[in-house]
């Protein structure tokens, strides 16, 4: 890494690409350096590519847009940094064929994260580039796990005012699966909410011992909100998918989950047009409402 600025913009650019999986040149520019000319971001990415840390593919059906991703070498470098301590590199991270196949979904997930980042900047709130963490692994025991499209960390409220730290599991749906399969994700999150790891050979807690706790409490003080971002379909398709989510929430074996965890859905077009903090979210239990995700609170 002879020419890489490891303490500044180059480090942030590599960290973002490694964590986000994939981003276009314009997305990278808006994430890491919106206050400068985009030519500076292009030069930075070209330099990282010359160093073998990142690579790119060209999307033929998108005006030959370039999509960037970290190489295996870049992922190994970034994985050593403390700011990526919760990051797990994908086994297919540096595979160009896999990158092309994943580009559609990965770039929409990046666009969703960018909408939260830009909204926070406009509102004077805090959501930094690395506060959007795609594909965080949450085990359910055995070989099962819940892997959100992203986990979001967001500080709502301006400096000096009353503020709160918000967290959300974000699922980005591009209408590539049926409404029932999408709705099944609620069941998976309800299982995560209740999941308590069992250690083989561990004795049951005694009278003065605390019982085992749910696994998610190791990471979060309260269970994150669950946000479904809907893309790739029109108003009728959005309604169908929200109805399926509502039915799944109603039929849960663990009804306490939906009473404790806000579950909201919104079209991506509304997030991009109005900002995620606008009242564009529909609670799945009462989809006629329109609320802001930052004001939808745990009971």
């Amino acid at each position: 890494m002879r020419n890489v600025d490891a303490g500044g913009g180059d480090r942030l650019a590599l960290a973002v690409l490694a964590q986000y999986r994939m981003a276009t040149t314009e997305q990278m520019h808006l994430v890491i350096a919106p206050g400068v000319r985009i030519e500076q971001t292009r030069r930075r990415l070209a330099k990282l590519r010359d160093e073998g840390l990142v690579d790119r593919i060209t999307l033929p059906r998108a005006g030959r847009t370039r999509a960037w991703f970290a190489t295996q070498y870049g992922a190994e470098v970034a994985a050593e940094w403390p700011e990526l301590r919760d990051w797990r590199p994908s086994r297919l991270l540096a595979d160009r064929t896999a990158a092309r196949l994943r580009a559609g979904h990965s770039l929409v997930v990046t666009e969703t994260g960018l909408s939260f980042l830009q909204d926070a900047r406009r509102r004077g709130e805090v959501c930094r580039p690395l506060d959007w963490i795609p594909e965080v692994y949450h085990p359910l025991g055995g070989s099962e796990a819940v892997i959100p499209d992203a986990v979001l960390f967001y500080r709502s409220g301006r400096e000096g005012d009353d503020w709160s730290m918000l967290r959300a599991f974000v699922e980005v749906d591009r209408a590539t699966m049926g409404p029932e399969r999408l709705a099944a994700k609620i069941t998976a999150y309800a299982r995560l909410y209740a999941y308590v790891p069992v250690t083989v050979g561990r004795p049951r807690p005694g009278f003065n011992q605390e019982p085992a706790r749910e696994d998610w409490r190791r990471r979060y003080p309260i269970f994150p909100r669950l946000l479904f971002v809907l893309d790739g379909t029109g108003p009728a398709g959005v309604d169908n998918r929200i109805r399926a989510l509502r039915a799944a929430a109603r039929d849960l074996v663990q009804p306490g989950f939906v009473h404790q965890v806000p579950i909201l859905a919104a079209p991506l077009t509304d997030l991009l047009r109005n900002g995620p903090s606008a009242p564009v979210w529909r609670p799945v239990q009462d989809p006629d409402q329109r609320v802001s995700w930052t004001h939808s609170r745990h009971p």
Side-chain angles (χ1 to χ4, degrees), residues 143-165:
S143 59
E144 295 186 273
V146 172
I147 307 176
D149 283 324
V151 176
L152 170 67
F153 294 86
Y154 189 104
R155 200 190 77 181
S156 176
R158 293 176 178 271
E159 193 71 35
D161 298 335
D162 290 337
W163 57 270
S164 58
M165 191 68 207

Side-chain angles (χ1 to χ4, degrees), residues 49-222:
R49 188 179 187 227
D50 289 343
E51 293 289 340
L53 295 164
V54 306
D55 203 353
R56 70 190 185 201
I57 58 172
T58 301
L59 307 178
R61 296 185 181 181
R64 299 193 63 78
T65 297
R66 289 174 173 173
W68 297 84
F69 58 95
T71 63
Q72 186 64 42
Y73 172 48
E76 291 171 358
V77 170
E80 298 296 323
W81 297 339
E83 59 264 43
L84 295 187
R85 59 185 178 276
D86 292 328
W87 175 66
R88 292 166 59 104
S90 168
R91 289 176 298 176
L92 302 177
L93 188 70
D95 186 293
R96 294 175 65 86
T97 300
R100 284 192 175 88
L101 294 174
R102 290 166 55 97
H105 184 73
S106 296
L107 293 177
V108 173
V109 172
T110 296
E111 191 69 14
T112 302
L114 180 57
S115 73
F116 284 95
L117 183 63
Q118 291 179 305
D119 200 37
R121 289 169 177 164
R122 287 191 296 266
R123 293 169 58 84
E125 299 181 325
V126 179
C127 182
R128 298 184 177 89
L130 296 180
D131 289 335
W132 178 260
I133 312 176
E135 300 181 15
V136 179
Y137 185 90
H138 297 79
L140 286 176
S143 59
E144 295 186 273
V146 172
I147 307 176
D149 283 324
V151 176
L152 170 67
F153 294 86
Y154 189 104
R155 200 190 77 181
S156 176
R158 293 176 178 271
E159 193 71 35
D161 298 335
D162 290 337
W163 57 270
S164 58
M165 191 68 207
L166 307 178
R167 302 158 191 84
F169 293 131
V170 183
E171 291 287 346
V172 179
D173 172 59
R174 299 178 61 230
T176 55
M177 65 177 71
E180 291 77 13
R181 286 185 59 197
L182 172 67
K185 292 179 179 289
I186 291 183
T187 305
Y189 282 100
R191 289 179 60 199
L192 176 63
Y193 182 77
Y195 170 63
V196 176
V198 176
T199 303
V200 177
R202 178 181 176 179
R204 292 185 177 182
F207 180 76
N208 292 323
Q209 290 179 294
E210 291 188 6
R213 306 180 73 201
E214 295 86 353
D215 192 58
W216 60 264
R217 296 185 187 277
R218 295 186 300 109
R219 301 185 183 190
Y220 314 109
I222 58 175

Side-chain angles (χ1 to χ4, degrees), residues 226-230 238 241-242 245 263-267 271 280-284 289-291:
L226 180 51
L227 306 180
F228 288 91
V229 177
L230 308 177
V238 168
R241 303 180 97 69
I242 292 177
L245 291 169
I263 307 174
L264 312 172
L271 269 63
V280 298
W281 298 89
R282 297 168 64 177
V284 299
Q289 285 194 61
R290 298 293 188 276
V291 301

Side-chain angles (χ1 to χ4, degrees), residues 9-28:
D10 293 348
R11 176 171 175 143
L12 177 60
L14 178 56
V16 165
L17 269 184
Q19 184 163 286
Y20 283 36
R21 309 302 194 194
M22 186 174 291
T24 66
T25 305
E26 182 179 7
Q27 287 174 336
M28 282 295 294

